[in-house]
C-alpha cells in the first residue's frame, strides 16, 4: 500500500506570534492514494496564506460545494498567494505533492507584502503578482526553502522584516486574535466610537468584525466536537449549548456556511476520508487528541 501521507501542523516561533497563525506541511510522496484521496478540503478562513509547492502540481477545485461537477483550475506551481476565503475550498493533485502552507494574520501579511488585503478576498494568485515590498524577493522561489525544515527556514527569513512589531507572549486561537484585534483597533486613533472601530477592523482584515466572529464561534464548536468525537460520542445539542449557539440547527447552519457540510457529515468524513486531513489537524490542535487517525 506504500507509505502513509504525512501532514504536520506547525505553530510559530514566539518571535512570530503576532505574524503567523499556523502552518501545515503536506507530503504525499510514496503514498498510494486514489483520485478521491488526492483532494484536499479546507474551511472558509479569515487568514490569507502563502504556499510553497516544492514538488508536484496542485489544482484548485472551481466549486468545492459541488463534488458531482468538479472543474479544476490550471495547475499551481512555485509560490502561491491566497487571500482570506469566505467560502470553503478544495484542491486536487494528479500525483505526489510536497507543499508548505503558512497562514498569516491578515493585518500582518498586509504589512509584510505591502498590500491592501481587502483587494484580495477570495483571490488565488502567484506571489510574484502580489508582492510589492522590497527585500522579500527570495520568497518568490520555492527552492529558497527547500531542504530540511522549510518552515523554520521561512521564519528565519521573515524575522528581520518583523522586528519591532506588536509582541504577543503566546500563540492564540481565533478568539484570542479577535480580542487583540479589537483592542488594537480601539487604540489605533483617538475618538470615532464603535463605527470607527469596525471600519478599522475591516480595513485591516477585509471583513467585518461580525463575520470574523462567525469563524471564531465555529472554530470553538468544531474543536469541542473533536474532543467529544475522540471520546467516542457526538452530541450536537450538547456542542451547541456549550459553545453559545441557540440550538443544534443554528450550529448546523453556521458550520455548513464555513465548511460546506453538515456537522454530522463533516465528522464522519474527517474520521474516515484522507481528503479531510486538514480538519483532522485542526481537531488535534484542540489539545485533546482531536479526531482519531485514519486506519489504512
Amino acid at each position: 500500500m506504500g507509505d502513509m501521507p504525512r501532514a504536520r501542523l506547525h505553530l510559530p516561533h514566539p518571535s512570530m506570534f503576532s505574524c503567523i497563525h499556523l502552518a501545515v506541511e503536506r507530503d504525499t510522496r510514496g503514498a498510494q492514494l486514489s483520485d478521491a484521496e488526492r483532494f484536499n478540503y479546507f474551511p472558509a478562513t479569515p487568514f490569507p496564506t502563502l504556499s510553497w509547492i516544492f514538488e508536484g502540481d496542485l489544482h484548485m477545485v472551481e466549486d468545492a460545494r459541488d463534488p458531482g461537477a468538479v472543474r479544476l483550475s490550471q495547475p499551481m506551481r512555485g509560490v502561491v498567494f491566497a487571500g482570506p476565503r469566505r467560502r470553503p475550498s478544495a484542491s486536487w493533485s494528479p500525483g505526489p505533492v510536497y507543499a508548505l502552507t503558512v497562514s498569516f494574520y491578515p493585518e500582518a501579511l498586509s504589512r509584510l507584502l505591502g498590500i491592501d488585503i481587502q483587494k484580495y478576498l477570495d483571490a488565488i494568485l502567484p506571489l510574484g503578482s502580489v508582492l510589492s515590498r522590497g527585500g522579500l524577493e527570495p520568497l518568490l522561489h520555492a527552492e529558497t526553502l527547500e531542504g530540511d525544515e522549510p518552515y523554520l527556514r521561512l521564519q528565519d527569513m521573515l524575522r528581520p522584516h518583523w522586528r519591532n512589531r506588536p509582541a504577543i507572549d503566546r500563540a492564540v486561537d481565533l478568539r484570542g486574535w479577535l480580542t487583540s484585534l479589537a483592542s488594537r483597533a480601539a487604540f489605533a486613533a483617538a475618538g470615532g466610537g464603535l463605527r470607527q472601530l469596525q471600519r478599522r477592523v475591516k480595513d485591516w482584515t477585509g471583513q467585518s468584525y461580525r463575520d470574523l466572529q462567525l469563524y471564531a464561534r465555529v472554530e470553538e464548536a468544531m474543536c469541542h466536537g473533536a474532543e467529544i468525537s475522540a471520546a467516542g460520542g457526538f452530541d450536537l445539542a450538547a456542542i451547541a449549548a456549550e459553545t453559545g449557539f441557540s440550538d443544534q440547527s443554528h450550529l448546523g447552519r453556521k458550520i455548513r456556511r464555513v465548511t460546506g457540510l453538515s456537522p454530522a457529515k463533516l465528522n464522519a468524513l474527517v474520521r474516515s476520508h484522507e481528503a479531510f486531513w486538514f480538519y483532522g489537524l485542526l481537531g488535534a490542535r484542540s489539545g485533546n487528541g482531536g479526531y482519531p487517525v485514519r486506519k489504512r
Side-chain angles (χ1 to χ4, degrees):
M1 290 293 292
D3 296 333
M4 285 283 290
R6 183 171 63 118
R8 297 170 60 193
L9 184 147
H10 303 280
L11 296 180
H13 183 275
S15 63
M16 302 300 290
F17 277 164
S18 61
C19 180
I20 294 173
H21 178 232
L22 54 79
V24 293
E25 198 174 340
R26 177 68 167 169
D27 188 354
T28 66
R29 295 172 298 181
Q32 299 296 319
L33 299 177
S34 68
D35 284 349
E37 290 172 326
R38 292 191 180 279
F39 283 94
N40 310 281
Y41 289 95
F42 306 100
T45 176
F47 302 125
T49 62
L50 298 181
S51 297
W52 286 263
I53 304 170
F54 302 116
E55 291 191 32
D57 294 336
L58 282 169
H59 302 256
M60 293 305 299
V61 178
E62 297 293 350
D63 189 350
R65 298 167 297 180
D66 185 7
V70 172
R71 297 185 302 278
L72 301 177
S73 71
Q74 292 298 310
M76 298 185 298
R77 303 186 179 102
V79 189
V80 178
F81 165 90
R85 292 178 294 285
R86 293 172 290 184
R87 295 178 294 276
S89 62
S91 63
W92 183 77
S93 58
V97 67
Y98 175 39
L100 170 70
T101 296
V102 182
S103 175
F104 292 83
Y105 297 112
E107 72 279 20
L109 195 59
S110 292
R111 289 176 179 173
L112 276 175
L113 301 185
I115 62 173
D116 178 359
I117 204 69
Q118 291 191 82
K119 296 179 180 178
Y120 296 100
L121 288 177
D122 304 312
I124 299 177
L125 300 164
L127 178 58
S129 67
V130 175
L131 180 65
S132 63
R133 178 179 172 185
L136 295 175
E137 289 83 0
L139 298 181
L140 297 174
H141 310 289
E143 56 267 25
T144 301
L145 301 182
E146 284 183 352
D148 294 337
E149 302 297 342
Y151 179 53
L152 296 180
R153 194 180 306 235
L154 170 67
Q155 291 182 98
D156 288 341
M157 294 181 66
L158 292 180
R159 196 169 291 115
H161 300 277
W162 198 248
R163 288 175 180 160
N164 304 318
R165 297 302 182 184
I168 298 177
D169 60 5
R170 61 185 177 87
V172 297
D173 58 11
L174 239 167
R175 178 69 68 186
W177 168 64
L178 277 183
T179 299
S180 171
L181 191 70
S183 177
R184 282 180 279 138
F187 289 97
L194 179 60
R195 188 177 297 275
Q196 185 64 27
L197 183 152
Q198 292 172 334
R199 186 176 296 114
R200 289 185 196 118
V201 168
K202 190 164 187 179
D203 287 344
W204 292 348
T205 69
Q207 298 184 74
S208 71
Y209 192 76
R210 181 176 180 179
D211 286 339
L212 297 174
Q213 286 178 310
L214 167 67
Y215 297 115
R217 295 185 69 194
V218 168
E219 180 183 77
E220 290 170 357
M222 290 174 62
C223 287
H224 190 57
E227 298 170 19
I228 293 175
S229 180
F234 194 70
D235 186 341
L236 281 178
I239 296 170
E242 294 181 29
T243 53
F245 292 88
S246 58
D247 54 35
Q248 66 185 65
S249 294
H250 183 209
L251 169 65
R253 289 194 300 273
K254 299 305 182 184
I255 287 183
R256 186 183 289 275
R257 178 176 167 185
V258 172
T259 70
L261 295 164
S262 69
K265 181 68 171 178
L266 178 64
N267 180 62
L269 287 169
V270 172
R271 292 172 65 89
S272 65
H273 204 295
E274 179 63 44
F276 288 81
W277 59 270
F278 181 73
Y279 288 94
L281 287 182
L282 293 183
R285 191 191 175 196
S286 69
N288 293 278
Y291 295 98
V293 176
R294 184 185 175 211
K295 306 295 184 189
R296 289 176 57 91

